[in-house]
Amino acid sequence: MCCSNKSIFVCKQHISIKMNHSTGQLKVYNSLSGTKEEFKPIKDGFVGMYVCGPTLYSEPHMGNMRTFINFDTIYRYLLKLGYKVKYVRNITDAGHITNSAGISEDNIGKAAKLEQVQPLEIVYKFNTKFQELQRVYNMLPPSIEPTATGHIQEQIEIIEKIIENGFAYVKNGSVYFDVRKYSQKYNYGILSGRKIDELEQETRELNAQDEKEFFADFALWKKANPDDMQIWRSPWGDGNPGWHIECTAMSTKYLGDQFDIHGGGMDLKFPHHEDEIAQNCGSLGCNPARYWMHANMLNVNGQKMSKSFGNYFLPLEIVEGTAELFDKPYSPGVIRFLMMQSHYRSTMDMTPKSLDDAEKAYGRFMDAIDLLEKVQASKESTYDVSAMVDGFYDAMNDDFNAPMLIANLFEAVKYINSVNDGKAMITKDDLELLSREMKSFVFDVLGIAPLTGGDDSKLNGVMDLVLDLRQKARSEKDWGTSDQIRDGLAAAGIVVKDSKDGSNWN
Ligand code: AMP
Ligand code: ZN
């Protein structure tokens, strides 16, 4: 390892020694201004963060998980910086969503009819799955996961305020947001940059404009259809809430009229987040969030992964090795590691090649972390460890730049390997600092779970027993039990691989 201009780390002899490192100033890209801004929370030391959660009419796909994993990393870094964070992520279990053709749909109701069960059975089933996925992918639970159905009254009250303020009108038992009226006072398009005239062109061909007074108006409350599966009482008659109002109701209920961060996938910027801002201004008189953050899409061959395109795979399928696109299973740690190698604002593709490369890199990473416990300290250090650690913070302070963090961590991996090979030295204090911070950034911030397996003899013993029991089930052709064991282990982040020589795990 030598000091080159390309490396951000230089030999000690070339720089003055920095003994202390500060955590630096966090900068966040704000979609509202289109620039990176210094992060200053409304209340010192506290952060309120709201992220739009899943609509649970089916199992979340890997693309959905990418957005939630990215916000999990953001949450984790805010915690690492010492903030007390209230992280609210909702569950959409009601409401009509306007699809890309401008038509109002109730996907949960549709799924319930298809399976001949109640809508909340659908939601419960997929929420159980979603909670399992969060454990498998080592995501921290948010502070609260409120549901739309639990906040119908709050939604009604906000709609009443918007009507009172003159920004909505009632038509045949439905309530619509009056975009033209709103635009006289506020800037509709402030977030997405859409201009009302351009919107008009986009929607001109659509015929579902029905009772709205203006094509860009959107539903706050929809009158019930005779075949609606979920219906609530309201001052305007029986019906159900529009798509956007739940987030206005739940974010302000738990975080206040104004809070620090509002996040979601890039595809939610318009209309969902634009309409949320309109609802908040229209009821409370202010934009709810200081920083609007948008995570970019997981693509498949350059196209957004989506249920409607049919180009999706499920988060457990890759772990279990049953996803069609991949011919072997990958551990959740490797998948998360790959995700962290793309910045949250960039698109990414997940391919067998990218996962294979990530698997190798992940192995090198974990080996170096093991070495941190084993290398011998010396009287001096070859490299400036404090500057190295600064580099970890600098990367994440630059709008949560996880790929840059990983690149910087790899410099530390090279250093540790050199120490182990006797080609470099490190003092006891530096080793302690590097060890503490590397582990913290890898496990606590990037959320990459430590490898199972390893030296853990108790776990190895338990796994030997579990695999023996599974082998016994397989030899008796008890496939149900065998699959149950494999799926249960996958849910705990342990992948069982079967081969002609037997089964092993990692
Ligand atoms: P939904 O359940 O459709 O409301 O989506 C939940 C979250 O997943 C939203 O924040 C979406 O923006 C996000 N999302 C949907 N598709 C993708 C994708 N292909 N890549 C990344 N995020 C996605
Ligand atoms: Zn939302």
Side-chain angles (χ1 to χ4, degrees), residues 52-55 61 63-64 67-68 264-265 267-268 296-298 304-305:
C52 294
T55 309
H61 57 60
N64 301 133
T67 287
F68 299 133
D267 56 346
L268 297 187
N296 217 326
M297 297 292 105
L298 178 68
K304 175 189 164 187
M305 178 180 285

Side-chain angles (χ1 to χ4, degrees), residues 213-471:
E213 288 177 0
F214 185 59
F215 69 91
D217 295 348
F218 55 90
L220 297 171
W221 187 263
K222 274 299 248 185
K223 181 187 173 161
N225 288 319
D227 61 343
D228 272 347
M229 299 281 285
Q230 300 192 92
I231 294 175
W232 287 272
R233 295 261 147 82
S234 84
W236 318 285
D238 290 354
N240 37 57
W243 173 21
H244 319 296
I245 197 73
E246 64 174 279
C247 288
T248 295
M250 289 185 269
S251 60
T252 52
K253 169 156 182 170
Y254 294 107
L255 298 171
D257 292 0
Q258 275 199 304
F259 48 91
D260 298 296
I261 298 176
H262 192 311
M266 203 76 96
D267 56 346
L268 297 187
K269 209 191 239 186
F270 187 86
H272 184 54
H273 291 161
E274 191 70 62
D275 290 351
E276 254 190 85
I277 292 176
Q279 292 167 163
N280 281 71
C281 291
S283 56
L284 299 162
C286 57
N287 184 324
R290 278 200 177 180
Y291 305 89
W292 283 84
M293 296 183 69
H294 291 97
N296 217 326
M297 297 292 105
L298 178 68
N299 289 342
V300 181
N301 296 322
Q303 188 187 39
K304 175 189 164 187
M305 178 180 285
S306 149
K307 277 264 149 78
S308 48
F309 298 146
N311 63 347
Y312 65 93
F313 46 85
L314 300 177
L316 279 185
E317 285 177 346
I318 333 190
V319 173
E320 289 162 0
T322 52
E324 220 174 278
L325 192 62
F326 307 99
D327 54 16
K328 61 176 242 201
Y330 295 92
S331 77
V334 168
I335 298 164
R336 189 159 171 145
F337 185 77
L338 173 65
M339 287 194 171
M340 293 296 115
Q341 286 178 303
S342 293
H343 188 252
Y344 80 89
R345 282 192 292 118
S346 308
T347 55
M348 72 169 282
D349 239 275
M350 196 175 272
T351 62
K353 162 98 176 63
S354 65
L355 276 167
D356 285 342
D357 290 346
E359 195 168 50
K360 284 186 205 121
Y362 174 81
R364 286 205 301 279
F365 231 80
M366 293 302 159
D367 289 347
I369 284 176
D370 281 349
L371 277 181
L372 285 166
E373 308 298 324
K374 293 174 191 151
V375 291
Q376 296 293 319
S378 305
K379 285 215 173 82
E380 50 186 294
S381 293
T382 313
Y383 293 94
D384 184 344
V385 170
S386 182
M388 246 181 214
V389 170
D390 281 352
F392 304 160
Y393 285 94
D394 292 346
M396 288 304 279
N397 283 342
D398 184 10
D399 189 29
F400 307 96
N401 196 329
M404 198 200 288
L405 168 63
I406 290 181
N408 293 351
L409 284 166
F410 261 116
E411 296 289 338
V413 165
K414 278 197 244 163
Y415 183 19
I416 294 300
N417 286 334
S418 296
V419 173
N420 189 48
D421 294 343
K423 292 179 185 153
M425 293 181 293
I426 189 164
T427 64
K428 186 166 169 288
D429 285 352
D430 279 349
L431 183 58
E432 267 172 26
L433 172 65
L434 191 60
S435 178
R436 187 176 66 241
E437 290 291 347
M438 266 187 90
K439 285 182 191 162
S440 167
F441 272 93
V442 173
F443 301 134
D444 303 339
V445 176
L446 294 177
I448 291 162
L451 277 178
T452 40
D455 299 334
D456 193 331
S457 55
K458 279 188 191 154
L459 180 62
N460 284 333
V462 172
M463 283 306 297
D464 286 347
L465 173 68
V466 171
L467 290 185
D468 280 351
L469 289 172
R470 182 162 175 268
Q471 193 48 44

Side-chain angles (χ1 to χ4, degrees), residues 167 177-186 277-278 281:
F167 298 118
F177 193 90
D178 189 337
V179 171
R180 282 180 303 186
K181 199 75 175 295
Y182 176 78
S183 300
Q184 290 167 8
K185 182 162 182 200
Y186 297 99
I277 292 176
C281 291

Side-chain angles (χ1 to χ4, degrees), residues 59-60 124-134 316:
E59 191 169 333
Y124 188 77
K125 176 169 138 188
F126 293 117
N127 193 24
T128 306
K129 197 68 174 186
F130 181 53
Q131 300 300 325
E132 180 189 349
L133 293 177
Q134 290 185 72
L316 279 185

